[in-house]
Amino acid sequence: MVATNTARDSEADPRLFIVIPTYNRWDEARVSLQCISQSTYRNFKILLIEDACTDGTVEKCRAEFPDVEILHGSGDLWWSGAINKGVEHALQSGAEAILWMNDDNRVEPQTLSRMVASLKRLGSRSIICARNKSTETGLDEWAGDPPGWHPDFENWVPLDLSAPEVLVKHPPGGRGVLIPAQCFKEIGYVDVRSFPHYWADYDFHFRAMRAGFKYFIATEAMVWNVPNQARPEVRPEFSSHWLRWFLFDRRSAMNMPTLRRLLKRHLPPPEYRQIFYPILFRHLAWLSYGWVLRKPFLHRPLRALKKSLSRSATDNTAGH
């Protein structure tokens, strides 16, 4: 994992820093680090940002991966704070490019080399994305497609990925994204205040696109993602506690205030209203239905109400 110091490397290969946030997932992070250590690209440094882990991450990492530099949080970094801490340190250490990774991502030996090769071909105004694949299904999880709330989602046609690099219109998230240092110097860091955990990556990418950076998929560069296991706090589903978690907790991707902030910031007002409020109403209807199903004592009165309404409708029709 130590960068080689040959003249060839310093002339040809950008100094790459890999930023990986982690919190109490050493078993996942360990496999991620093992995969990176087998990379054919060598001019890199790994920054593991641990946010007050209690599972022995720090000690185990130092024992097995002494070349990994560990940065520490006090337990309140979340994703955005951890990314910013890593990016700031990388830039101060002379990074020419920064790769965002998650602790449950797996790279192939050629992944870094292919991404850096694409960056060198396309230039410093380009941001290079890996194809995201699921370790569970083997299928693409992201290959240029828009998020489900985007107006293009319904009519999106999968991209032709036969070329080495393909221009993409929609942001990639935060798994396997290679960003030239110049981008951070121009547009700043992740907005940790507005987006402490979810949607911070999308906000950053929208800002970068607005500043003129172009996004490309390096079609042969793969980042494999391990599906997340359900956290204890999300169970049981449709309980009152779960409903609050789903709609308002920063650990929920469907945190409504945060999603609203993202859409309002980056969409024209009519488009924002057209997208956000149907999402909100659909979720409220679905959550209400799920909550009612968990309350057997409500089933009988609701069935009675339904019959009563149906009878009234029939009587009114007959009266006409």
Side-chain angles (χ1 to χ4, degrees):
M1 272 177 282
V2 179
T4 53
N5 294 316
T6 64
R8 178 187 173 280
D9 285 332
S10 61
E11 293 173 3
D13 293 333
R15 176 72 163 142
L16 174 63
F17 279 71
I18 303 172
V19 175
I20 306 176
T22 191
Y23 179 69
N24 283 348
R25 299 209 301 183
W26 171 245
D27 289 341
E28 296 289 359
R30 179 177 180 271
V31 179
S32 182
L33 296 176
Q34 286 177 328
C35 291
I36 296 171
S37 70
Q38 297 169 16
S39 296
T40 56
Y41 191 80
R42 302 309 303 165
N43 194 17
F44 68 85
K45 180 75 176 178
I46 298 175
L47 301 178
L48 186 70
I49 299 87
E50 67 85 24
D51 196 15
C53 293
T54 58
D55 65 344
T57 288
V58 174
E59 298 77 15
K60 293 172 184 176
C61 183
R62 284 175 177 160
E64 191 168 351
F65 302 97
D67 295 321
V68 171
E69 188 168 357
I70 303 174
L71 306 181
H72 306 281
S74 57
D76 58 357
L77 288 178
W78 299 88
W79 186 85
S80 301
I83 285 290
N84 279 353
K85 193 175 190 72
V87 168
E88 182 179 25
H89 184 83
L91 294 177
Q92 291 173 351
S93 303
E96 297 173 273
I98 294 170
L99 178 66
W100 287 353
M101 293 274 291
N102 286 347
D103 60 4
D104 55 1
N105 293 160
R106 317 284 183 249
V107 299
E108 298 175 352
Q110 295 289 337
T111 297
L112 301 187
S113 295
R114 288 167 176 163
M115 296 184 78
V116 170
S118 292
L119 180 64
K120 289 161 68 174
R121 277 194 294 268
L122 296 169
S124 61
R125 303 294 298 177
S126 303
I127 293 174
I128 308 302
C129 313
R131 286 175 69 176
N132 291 179
K133 287 182 170 287
S134 168
T135 58
E136 189 171 75
T137 65
L139 302 176
D140 282 318
E141 289 192 334
W142 182 82
D145 42 304
W149 47 260
H150 198 281
D152 292 348
F153 181 78
E154 292 295 333
N155 302 313
W156 186 75
V157 177
L159 301 175
D160 179 1
L161 301 178
S162 58
E165 295 98 13
V166 175
L167 181 69
V168 294
K169 175 182 176 182
H170 300 287
R175 304 168 181 166
V177 185
L178 181 60
I179 305 170
Q182 184 60 33
C183 182
F184 296 101
K185 295 173 183 176
E186 285 190 29
I187 73 168
Y189 295 172
V190 167
D191 184 353
V192 67
R193 188 167 189 174
S194 299
F195 305 96
H197 196 55
Y198 276 108
W199 301 113
D201 44 7
Y202 277 76
D203 175 70
F204 179 90
H205 298 319
F206 281 130
R207 287 159 47 208
M209 289 177 172
R210 195 159 56 237
F213 288 87
K214 295 187 180 299
Y215 281 68
F216 296 85
I217 292 180
T219 57
E220 295 182 349
M222 307 298 176
V223 168
W224 295 84
N225 183 59
V226 178
N228 284 330
Q229 299 298 316
R231 292 179 177 271
E233 63 267 19
V234 306
R235 297 177 181 177
E237 289 187 345
F238 299 110
S239 64
S240 298
H241 177 76
W242 184 86
L243 295 177
R244 290 193 300 272
W245 178 91
F246 185 88
L247 289 172
F248 301 110
D249 197 281
R250 68 173 55 177
R251 289 164 291 189
S252 169
M254 285 296 103
N255 177 312
M256 286 293 108
T258 305
L259 180 59
R260 176 180 179 272
R261 198 172 297 124
L262 177 80
L263 299 179
K264 195 169 185 179
R265 176 177 290 185
H266 295 290
L267 296 178
E271 193 171 322
Y272 150 71
R273 291 191 292 268
Q274 183 182 1
I275 292 172
F276 176 73
Y277 289 108
I279 290 175
L280 177 61
F281 295 145
R282 281 198 304 271
H283 277 86
L284 290 177
W286 171 66
L287 293 170
S288 299
Y289 178 73
W291 183 81
V292 167
L293 288 181
R294 286 181 51 85
K295 306 294 180 182
F297 66 88
L298 292 176
H299 294 179
R300 181 176 293 179
L302 286 174
R303 281 196 297 266
L305 177 62
K306 181 180 178 181
K307 287 180 181 179
S308 174
L309 292 173
S310 177
R311 193 179 303 115
S312 286
T314 303
D315 292 344
N316 289 337
T317 302
H320 288 292

